[in-house]
Amino acid sequence: MKIRNSLKSLRTRHRDNQIVRRKGRVYIINKTQKRYKARQG
């Protein structure tokens, strides 16, 4: 999982990326390509 300051550019890299908020943190999840997981930190 990558930890980035800004997730907006990461979200556009694949069409299945979704932004999810969990426990006060912002994540990008991708069900089809698991390598696109990221967390904002």
Side-chain angles (χ1 to χ4, degrees):
M1 177 179 296
K2 284 194 170 75
I3 299 178
R4 299 283 292 268
N5 287 333
S6 175
L7 296 181
K8 195 168 213 172
S9 61
L10 286 182
R11 188 175 68 96
T12 59
R13 290 177 66 195
H14 195 275
R15 59 185 171 85
D16 291 339
N17 284 350
Q18 298 174 320
I19 288 192
V20 181
R21 293 199 64 178
R22 290 180 187 157
K23 299 178 183 173
R25 290 181 169 165
V26 184
Y27 293 90
I28 285 186
I29 60 171
N30 191 325
K31 297 276 170 79
T32 57
Q33 297 280 340
K34 299 284 198 278
R35 67 169 182 243
Y36 288 109
K37 274 204 304 197
R39 172 169 79 78
Q40 183 164 326

